[in-house]
Amino acid sequence: MNRGPRSSCNDRAVSPHESHHPSAVHSHAHGHGPAAPVSRHLRKVIAAVLIPFAAAVAVGLVVLWPGGAPGHKPSGVGFDQPTEQARVVKVAEVNCADVHAEQQPQPSSPTGQPPAGGGTKGKPCQQATIKVTTGENAGRTFQAVVTPDALRHYTTGQEVVVAYSPKAPKDLQYAVSDVDRTLPMWVLAALFAFAVVIVGRLRGVLALVALAASFVVLTLFILPAILQGSNPLVVAVVGGSAIMLIALYLCHGLTARTSVAVLGTLASLLLIGLLGSVFINWALLTGNTDDTTGLVHGLYPDIEIRGLLLAGIIIGSLGVLDDVTVTQTAAVWELKEADPSAGWRKLYGAAMRIGRDHIASVVNTLVLAYAGAALPLLLLFSIAQSGVGTVATSEVVAEEVVRTLVGSIGLVAAVPLTTLLAALVVSADRMGPGMPGDSGPGVVRQSGAGSGDVVGAGMATGAAESRPGRRGGRGRRRKR
């Protein structure tokens, strides 16, 4: 008995009714493209969740919008100094004693080793003449002395950054604070953008646009709003959610797959915020563990430093969360495309095997990133020969431990949450009517199949006919 031609893609039997619709057969034979869109009903369900969330984020942006950083007169302390551009016009060697820069003798180390810097004894100092090139005092020159053991030395023509202290004596108003790194930083940024675009093509361009948008939200909303006195946690949640929506939908498209990743990211961020709040309060962390934080708190006493710590945990975890949720969602979708008959349990199990490898690498990455940032601090503890318990429970290290572990818990939880959500969504959308979860073949939705979607036929008794390589399966059309 002639059952009609079979598709060359997966050998699914095509009914005589389908054989008169070339579009249906042709679309099935080219089913290796992007994942098919979900049904209109499921899109409505996802939109019912995400549209109110996006609206709440937009309202939060409007209500908390700072309108710029608050006015502030520089105090001249630490980083709170106005800066100008300058250039080194002359460098000369001088006797350190003549410029009152003679090195003081240092005691020997407890191990009997000679003091550090002993190799520089007797070497001349450098006296650099520096000319201010910007600001109201452009053209003024001053001199800076560089000792032989200094890590930074100057060359003629070098561009530098100088700090200005208007209340200091005229000869001491300017001091070199840093070197000008504009050119190497722009070159590195250009190389980064070039690599992203060459490899990622259009997706790479969209990723760069999303990165720029994230930077705009951070500099124009999050930082000024915190300086204006808004609650740092609320600002971080609203700003982080805006960054998440912009980055995910811009890079991955306005699709159900992206929406599932958004939901998984949101759930994980809420978990991170809850755990962070609990353990920051329980461990009695103040967030004031370095000179920079202390200076910020001194200049803006209304800023809640503890909330600033929690906001940093949320924002710092957001980038890695996006990667985890998008990867897991894509894995589920691709597994469903490879095996349309798979139920949600099978999809979840297969995707979780991918996710466990992802968890191991991501957690290790996060821990090493924080350890690398705190490496000088860890070296100081090693020099002091402090015990591991003492080091781990000191506030300056405990802050990083809480930041790392809370973020890692959120990342770990994101994998099963997002995977389960994606498996349920893709299975609920593609199951045929009347079929139980894992017992029967799923709906095979094809693009360009006319007004209906091709659906695999068969109940439990007819499942064998719909398997690849078997003949006799019949198709029927289902109205949307």
Side-chain angles (χ1 to χ4, degrees), residues 21-116:
H21 293 79
S23 62
V25 179
H26 178 77
S27 65
H28 188 77
H30 294 80
H32 297 292
V38 297
S39 65
R40 182 180 303 175
H41 172 70
L42 193 55
R43 288 199 301 267
K44 290 181 179 180
V45 173
I46 295 175
V49 177
L50 286 180
I51 289 179
F53 168 66
V57 172
V59 171
L61 288 172
V62 173
V63 172
L64 297 174
W65 192 262
H72 171 68
K73 186 177 181 180
S75 64
V77 178
F79 286 101
D80 191 33
Q81 291 180 316
T83 58
E84 302 291 350
Q85 298 296 314
R87 181 182 299 111
V88 179
V89 296
K90 182 182 178 181
V91 177
E93 290 187 354
V94 296
N95 190 304
C96 294
D98 294 339
V99 292
H100 307 289
E102 191 172 12
Q103 291 180 278
Q104 298 295 325
Q106 299 179 2
S108 300
S109 64
T111 59
Q113 298 294 327

Side-chain angles (χ1 to χ4, degrees), residues 128-422:
T129 302
I130 299 171
K131 181 180 180 179
V132 180
T133 56
T134 61
E136 59 182 9
N137 295 321
R140 181 192 294 187
T141 61
F142 68 96
Q143 293 180 331
V145 176
V146 182
T147 58
D149 59 344
L151 297 177
R152 181 184 298 154
H153 294 265
Y154 304 116
T155 58
T156 302
Q158 183 179 6
E159 301 290 334
V160 295
V161 179
V162 295
Y164 177 55
S165 301
K167 297 181 180 180
K170 186 175 181 179
D171 294 342
L172 301 177
Q173 287 182 337
Y174 284 97
V176 178
S177 62
D178 209 342
V179 297
D180 187 358
R181 301 183 180 88
T182 303
L183 181 59
M185 298 303 291
W186 276 110
V187 170
L188 180 59
L191 289 175
F192 165 73
F194 177 77
V196 170
V197 172
I198 288 297
V199 177
R201 298 184 181 180
L202 179 59
R203 286 291 180 89
V205 174
L206 294 177
L208 293 177
V209 174
L211 178 62
S214 302
F215 184 76
V216 168
V217 173
L218 180 64
T219 56
L220 297 186
F221 172 71
I222 295 179
L223 298 180
I226 292 175
L227 290 177
Q228 291 281 11
S230 299
N231 187 295
L233 176 58
V234 177
V235 171
V237 170
V238 173
S241 299
I243 291 174
M244 174 185 66
L245 292 173
I246 293 172
L248 288 180
Y249 282 117
L250 187 60
C251 293
H252 305 284
L254 194 63
T255 64
R257 178 192 293 188
T258 308
S259 299
V260 170
V262 168
L263 291 175
T265 304
L266 176 62
S268 301
L269 281 179
L270 293 177
L271 177 61
I272 289 174
L274 177 62
L275 288 177
S277 179
V278 169
F279 282 95
I280 286 174
N281 292 325
W282 192 6
L284 301 178
L285 299 178
T286 63
N288 189 6
T289 55
D290 55 34
D291 295 338
T292 303
T293 308
L295 178 60
V296 171
H297 185 57
L299 297 175
Y300 295 92
D302 295 334
I303 291 180
E304 185 183 351
I305 300 299
R306 185 175 294 180
L308 192 62
L309 172 60
L310 182 56
I313 294 176
I314 293 176
I315 295 175
S317 303
L318 181 60
V320 188
L321 270 178
D322 289 352
D323 173 59
V324 170
T325 55
V326 168
T327 301
Q328 288 304 114
T329 306
V332 172
W333 246 260
E334 294 301 326
L335 288 169
K336 186 64 175 180
E337 288 297 316
D339 184 7
S341 65
W344 72 267
R345 291 184 180 88
K346 183 176 180 181
L347 291 175
Y348 178 79
M352 278 301 297
R353 287 192 289 272
I354 301 173
R356 292 186 186 99
D357 291 335
H358 206 180
I359 287 174
S361 61
V362 167
V363 169
N364 194 43
T365 299
L366 193 61
V367 171
L368 291 180
Y370 284 126
L375 195 58
L377 176 65
L378 298 178
L379 287 175
L380 289 178
F381 278 109
S382 297
I383 293 173
Q385 297 181 352
S386 301
V388 175
T390 303
V391 173
T393 56
S394 63
E395 181 172 5
V396 66
V397 175
E399 180 179 303
E400 298 300 327
V401 171
V402 170
R403 191 195 310 270
T404 302
L405 297 185
V406 167
S408 298
I409 291 173
L411 293 176
V412 171
V415 173
L417 282 175
T418 307
T419 304
L420 178 60
L421 183 59

